[in-house]
Short mmCIF file of all heavy atoms in Angstrom, two decimals:
data_model
loop_
_atom_site.label_atom_id
_atom_site.label_comp_id
_atom_site.label_asym_id
_atom_site.label_seq_id
_atom_site.Cartn_x
_atom_site.Cartn_y
_atom_site.Cartn_z
N SER H 22 41.44 -157.34 54.98
CA SER H 22 41.37 -156.54 53.76
C SER H 22 40.26 -155.50 53.95
O SER H 22 39.57 -155.46 54.97
CB SER H 22 41.03 -157.43 52.56
OG SER H 22 39.72 -157.98 52.72
N ALA H 23 40.06 -154.67 52.93
CA ALA H 23 39.04 -153.61 53.02
C ALA H 23 37.64 -154.17 53.22
O ALA H 23 36.80 -153.55 53.88
CB ALA H 23 39.08 -152.75 51.77
N LEU H 24 37.36 -155.37 52.66
CA LEU H 24 36.03 -155.95 52.80
C LEU H 24 35.86 -156.74 54.09
O LEU H 24 34.73 -156.85 54.59
CB LEU H 24 35.71 -156.83 51.59
CG LEU H 24 35.53 -156.12 50.26
CD1 LEU H 24 35.20 -157.11 49.15
CD2 LEU H 24 34.44 -155.06 50.35
N LEU H 25 36.94 -157.28 54.63
CA LEU H 25 36.82 -158.04 55.87
C LEU H 25 36.82 -157.14 57.10
O LEU H 25 36.24 -157.49 58.13
CB LEU H 25 37.96 -159.05 55.96
CG LEU H 25 37.80 -160.17 57.01
CD1 LEU H 25 36.55 -160.99 56.74
CD2 LEU H 25 39.03 -161.07 57.03
N ARG H 26 37.46 -155.97 56.98
CA ARG H 26 37.54 -155.08 58.15
C ARG H 26 36.18 -154.69 58.71
O ARG H 26 35.98 -154.73 59.93
CB ARG H 26 38.34 -153.82 57.79
CG ARG H 26 38.57 -152.91 58.98
CD ARG H 26 38.71 -151.45 58.59
NE ARG H 26 37.58 -150.94 57.85
CZ ARG H 26 36.39 -150.66 58.37
NH1 ARG H 26 36.18 -150.84 59.66
NH2 ARG H 26 35.41 -150.20 57.62
N PRO H 27 35.18 -154.31 57.87
CA PRO H 27 33.89 -153.96 58.45
C PRO H 27 33.22 -155.13 59.18
O PRO H 27 32.49 -154.91 60.15
CB PRO H 27 33.05 -153.54 57.23
CG PRO H 27 34.06 -153.13 56.21
CD PRO H 27 35.22 -154.05 56.41
N ILE H 28 33.47 -156.35 58.72
CA ILE H 28 32.89 -157.51 59.39
C ILE H 28 33.53 -157.69 60.76
O ILE H 28 32.86 -157.98 61.76
CB ILE H 28 33.05 -158.78 58.53
CG1 ILE H 28 32.46 -158.55 57.13
CG2 ILE H 28 32.39 -159.97 59.20
CD1 ILE H 28 30.99 -158.19 57.13
N LEU H 29 34.85 -157.52 60.82
CA LEU H 29 35.53 -157.59 62.11
C LEU H 29 35.01 -156.49 63.04
O LEU H 29 34.73 -156.74 64.22
CB LEU H 29 37.04 -157.43 61.91
CG LEU H 29 37.91 -157.57 63.16
CD1 LEU H 29 37.77 -158.96 63.78
CD2 LEU H 29 39.37 -157.28 62.84
N GLN H 30 34.87 -155.30 62.51
CA GLN H 30 34.33 -154.18 63.29
C GLN H 30 32.98 -154.53 63.89
O GLN H 30 32.73 -154.34 65.09
CB GLN H 30 34.20 -152.97 62.37
CG GLN H 30 33.28 -151.86 62.85
CD GLN H 30 32.89 -150.94 61.72
OE1 GLN H 30 33.73 -150.24 61.18
NE2 GLN H 30 31.60 -150.94 61.35
N ASP H 31 32.07 -155.07 63.07
CA ASP H 31 30.71 -155.32 63.54
C ASP H 31 30.60 -156.57 64.39
O ASP H 31 29.60 -156.75 65.09
CB ASP H 31 29.76 -155.39 62.34
CG ASP H 31 29.69 -154.08 61.57
OD1 ASP H 31 30.02 -153.04 62.17
OD2 ASP H 31 29.34 -154.09 60.38
N SER H 32 31.60 -157.44 64.32
CA SER H 32 31.62 -158.60 65.23
C SER H 32 32.15 -158.22 66.60
O SER H 32 31.83 -158.87 67.60
CB SER H 32 32.44 -159.74 64.63
OG SER H 32 33.81 -159.39 64.56
N TRP H 33 32.96 -157.17 66.69
CA TRP H 33 33.51 -156.71 67.96
C TRP H 33 32.64 -155.67 68.64
O TRP H 33 32.57 -155.62 69.87
CB TRP H 33 34.89 -156.08 67.73
CG TRP H 33 36.01 -157.05 67.59
CD1 TRP H 33 35.97 -158.41 67.78
CD2 TRP H 33 37.36 -156.74 67.21
NE1 TRP H 33 37.20 -158.96 67.52
CE2 TRP H 33 38.07 -157.96 67.19
CE3 TRP H 33 38.01 -155.56 66.89
CZ2 TRP H 33 39.43 -158.01 66.86
CZ3 TRP H 33 39.36 -155.61 66.56
CH2 TRP H 33 40.06 -156.83 66.55
N LEU H 34 32.02 -154.79 67.86
CA LEU H 34 31.37 -153.60 68.41
C LEU H 34 29.86 -153.62 68.16
O LEU H 34 29.39 -154.16 67.15
CB LEU H 34 31.95 -152.34 67.76
CG LEU H 34 33.46 -152.11 67.92
CD1 LEU H 34 33.90 -150.92 67.07
CD2 LEU H 34 33.83 -151.89 69.38
N PRO H 35 29.09 -153.00 69.04
CA PRO H 35 27.65 -152.82 68.81
C PRO H 35 27.41 -151.64 67.86
O PRO H 35 26.94 -150.57 68.25
CB PRO H 35 27.09 -152.56 70.21
CG PRO H 35 28.22 -151.92 70.95
CD PRO H 35 29.48 -152.52 70.39
N THR H 36 27.75 -151.86 66.59
CA THR H 36 27.78 -150.76 65.61
C THR H 36 26.38 -150.42 65.13
O THR H 36 25.74 -151.21 64.44
CB THR H 36 28.64 -151.15 64.39
OG1 THR H 36 29.85 -151.74 64.84
CG2 THR H 36 28.94 -149.94 63.54
N ALA H 37 25.92 -149.22 65.48
CA ALA H 37 24.65 -148.74 64.95
C ALA H 37 24.85 -148.08 63.59
O ALA H 37 23.98 -148.16 62.72
CB ALA H 37 24.02 -147.74 65.91
N ALA H 38 26.00 -147.41 63.40
CA ALA H 38 26.24 -146.70 62.15
C ALA H 38 27.73 -146.63 61.87
O ALA H 38 28.54 -146.60 62.80
CB ALA H 38 25.66 -145.28 62.20
N TYR H 39 28.06 -146.61 60.58
CA TYR H 39 29.43 -146.37 60.15
C TYR H 39 29.44 -145.12 59.29
O TYR H 39 28.64 -144.98 58.35
CB TYR H 39 30.01 -147.54 59.35
CG TYR H 39 31.44 -147.29 58.96
CD1 TYR H 39 32.47 -147.55 59.85
CD2 TYR H 39 31.76 -146.74 57.72
CE1 TYR H 39 33.79 -147.27 59.53
CE2 TYR H 39 33.08 -146.46 57.39
CZ TYR H 39 34.09 -146.72 58.30
OH TYR H 39 35.39 -146.43 57.98
N VAL H 40 30.35 -144.20 59.59
CA VAL H 40 30.50 -142.97 58.82
C VAL H 40 31.63 -143.15 57.82
O VAL H 40 32.78 -143.43 58.22
CB VAL H 40 30.79 -141.77 59.75
CG1 VAL H 40 31.16 -140.54 58.93
CG2 VAL H 40 29.59 -141.49 60.64
N GLY H 41 31.33 -143.02 56.54
CA GLY H 41 32.34 -143.27 55.52
C GLY H 41 32.33 -142.23 54.42
O GLY H 41 31.37 -141.46 54.25
N GLY H 42 33.41 -142.22 53.66
CA GLY H 42 33.54 -141.36 52.50
C GLY H 42 33.05 -142.06 51.24
O GLY H 42 32.55 -143.19 51.29
N PRO H 43 33.22 -141.42 50.08
CA PRO H 43 32.69 -141.98 48.83
C PRO H 43 33.19 -143.38 48.52
O PRO H 43 32.42 -144.25 48.11
CB PRO H 43 33.15 -140.97 47.78
CG PRO H 43 33.28 -139.68 48.54
CD PRO H 43 33.77 -140.06 49.89
N GLY H 44 34.51 -143.63 48.70
CA GLY H 44 35.04 -144.95 48.41
C GLY H 44 34.47 -146.02 49.33
O GLY H 44 34.14 -147.13 48.89
N GLU H 45 34.35 -145.69 50.60
CA GLU H 45 33.81 -146.67 51.56
C GLU H 45 32.33 -146.96 51.28
O GLU H 45 31.89 -148.10 51.38
CB GLU H 45 33.97 -146.14 52.98
CG GLU H 45 35.43 -146.08 53.41
CD GLU H 45 35.63 -145.20 54.63
OE1 GLU H 45 35.28 -144.01 54.58
OE2 GLU H 45 36.13 -145.71 55.64
N ILE H 46 31.58 -145.93 50.93
CA ILE H 46 30.17 -146.14 50.57
C ILE H 46 30.08 -147.13 49.42
O ILE H 46 29.24 -148.03 49.41
CB ILE H 46 29.51 -144.80 50.21
CG1 ILE H 46 29.33 -143.95 51.47
CG2 ILE H 46 28.17 -145.01 49.52
CD1 ILE H 46 28.94 -142.51 51.19
N ALA H 47 30.99 -147.00 48.45
CA ALA H 47 30.97 -147.89 47.30
C ALA H 47 31.29 -149.32 47.70
O ALA H 47 30.67 -150.27 47.19
CB ALA H 47 31.95 -147.40 46.23
N TYR H 48 32.23 -149.54 48.62
CA TYR H 48 32.49 -150.94 48.94
C TYR H 48 31.47 -151.51 49.91
O TYR H 48 31.29 -152.73 49.96
CB TYR H 48 33.94 -151.21 49.34
CG TYR H 48 34.48 -150.72 50.65
CD1 TYR H 48 34.00 -151.17 51.87
CD2 TYR H 48 35.56 -149.85 50.68
CE1 TYR H 48 34.55 -150.75 53.08
CE2 TYR H 48 36.12 -149.41 51.87
CZ TYR H 48 35.61 -149.86 53.06
OH TYR H 48 36.16 -149.45 54.24
N PHE H 49 30.76 -150.67 50.64
CA PHE H 49 29.65 -151.20 51.43
C PHE H 49 28.53 -151.70 50.54
O PHE H 49 27.74 -152.57 50.94
CB PHE H 49 29.12 -150.16 52.42
CG PHE H 49 29.81 -150.21 53.77
CD1 PHE H 49 30.79 -149.30 54.10
CD2 PHE H 49 29.50 -151.20 54.68
CE1 PHE H 49 31.44 -149.35 55.32
CE2 PHE H 49 30.14 -151.27 55.92
CZ PHE H 49 31.11 -150.35 56.24
N ALA H 50 28.45 -151.18 49.32
CA ALA H 50 27.47 -151.71 48.37
C ALA H 50 27.76 -153.16 48.02
O ALA H 50 26.86 -153.90 47.60
CB ALA H 50 27.47 -150.86 47.11
N GLN H 51 29.01 -153.58 48.19
CA GLN H 51 29.38 -154.97 47.91
C GLN H 51 29.15 -155.90 49.10
O GLN H 51 29.20 -157.11 48.95
CB GLN H 51 30.87 -155.05 47.53
CG GLN H 51 31.26 -154.30 46.27
CD GLN H 51 32.74 -154.41 45.98
OE1 GLN H 51 33.45 -153.42 45.97
NE2 GLN H 51 33.23 -155.63 45.77
N LEU H 52 28.93 -155.33 50.29
CA LEU H 52 29.10 -156.10 51.52
C LEU H 52 27.86 -156.83 52.03
O LEU H 52 27.99 -157.68 52.91
CB LEU H 52 29.62 -155.19 52.64
CG LEU H 52 31.14 -155.01 52.67
CD1 LEU H 52 31.53 -153.99 53.72
CD2 LEU H 52 31.83 -156.33 52.94
N ALA H 53 26.68 -156.52 51.53
CA ALA H 53 25.48 -157.16 52.06
C ALA H 53 25.56 -158.69 52.06
O ALA H 53 25.21 -159.33 53.06
CB ALA H 53 24.24 -156.68 51.32
N PRO H 54 26.07 -159.33 50.98
CA PRO H 54 26.16 -160.80 51.03
C PRO H 54 27.10 -161.30 52.11
O PRO H 54 26.89 -162.38 52.67
CB PRO H 54 26.69 -161.15 49.63
CG PRO H 54 26.34 -159.99 48.77
CD PRO H 54 26.45 -158.79 49.67
N LEU H 55 28.16 -160.53 52.42
CA LEU H 55 29.11 -160.98 53.44
C LEU H 55 28.51 -160.82 54.83
O LEU H 55 28.68 -161.70 55.69
CB LEU H 55 30.41 -160.18 53.31
CG LEU H 55 31.59 -160.62 54.18
CD1 LEU H 55 31.85 -162.11 54.06
CD2 LEU H 55 32.84 -159.84 53.81
N HIS H 56 27.84 -159.70 55.10
CA HIS H 56 27.16 -159.56 56.38
C HIS H 56 26.14 -160.69 56.57
O HIS H 56 26.05 -161.28 57.66
CB HIS H 56 26.45 -158.20 56.46
CG HIS H 56 27.32 -157.09 56.95
ND1 HIS H 56 28.13 -156.36 56.11
CD2 HIS H 56 27.50 -156.58 58.20
CE1 HIS H 56 28.78 -155.44 56.82
NE2 HIS H 56 28.42 -155.55 58.08
N ALA H 57 25.38 -161.00 55.52
CA ALA H 57 24.40 -162.07 55.62
C ALA H 57 25.07 -163.42 55.86
O ALA H 57 24.59 -164.24 56.65
CB ALA H 57 23.55 -162.12 54.35
N HIS H 58 26.19 -163.65 55.20
CA HIS H 58 26.90 -164.93 55.33
C HIS H 58 27.35 -165.18 56.77
O HIS H 58 27.28 -166.33 57.25
CB HIS H 58 28.10 -164.95 54.39
CG HIS H 58 28.84 -166.25 54.39
ND1 HIS H 58 28.49 -167.32 53.58
CD2 HIS H 58 29.92 -166.68 55.11
CE1 HIS H 58 29.31 -168.32 53.80
NE2 HIS H 58 30.19 -167.96 54.72
N VAL H 59 27.82 -164.15 57.44
CA VAL H 59 28.32 -164.33 58.81
C VAL H 59 27.24 -164.04 59.85
O VAL H 59 27.49 -164.14 61.06
CB VAL H 59 29.55 -163.44 59.08
CG1 VAL H 59 30.68 -163.81 58.14
CG2 VAL H 59 29.23 -161.96 58.97
N GLY H 60 26.03 -163.69 59.41
CA GLY H 60 24.93 -163.52 60.34
C GLY H 60 24.97 -162.22 61.13
O GLY H 60 24.49 -162.18 62.28
N LEU H 61 25.50 -161.14 60.53
CA LEU H 61 25.55 -159.85 61.20
C LEU H 61 24.68 -158.85 60.46
O LEU H 61 24.69 -158.81 59.22
CB LEU H 61 26.98 -159.30 61.24
CG LEU H 61 27.96 -159.91 62.24
CD1 LEU H 61 29.37 -159.40 61.96
CD2 LEU H 61 27.55 -159.57 63.67
N PRO H 62 23.92 -158.01 61.18
CA PRO H 62 23.18 -156.95 60.49
C PRO H 62 24.12 -155.86 60.01
O PRO H 62 25.09 -155.53 60.70
CB PRO H 62 22.24 -156.42 61.59
CG PRO H 62 22.96 -156.70 62.87
CD PRO H 62 23.72 -157.98 62.65
N MET H 63 23.85 -155.34 58.84
CA MET H 63 24.66 -154.22 58.37
C MET H 63 24.23 -152.95 59.09
O MET H 63 23.04 -152.67 59.19
CB MET H 63 24.54 -154.04 56.86
CG MET H 63 25.43 -152.93 56.33
SD MET H 63 25.34 -152.71 54.53
CE MET H 63 26.31 -154.11 53.98
#
């Protein structure tokens, strides 16, 4: 889903930054607890 995709991205890739539009910025505001849950830095 839209919220799980960034976690998959950051588990596969050495992601320093993600470039997003307004909608993506808004859902990244929701994602800090999920990154913390799986032990990945945002």
Side-chain angles (χ1 to χ4, degrees):
S22 65
L24 292 181
L25 195 60
R26 185 208 57 74
I28 305 301
L29 184 62
Q30 161 198 294
D31 297 338
S32 67
W33 280 352
L34 301 173
T36 314
Y39 182 82
V40 171
E45 292 164 302
I46 289 169
Y48 71 64
F49 269 102
Q51 297 179 243
L52 275 175
L55 187 50
H56 274 86
H58 183 87
V59 299
L61 284 170
M63 183 179 284

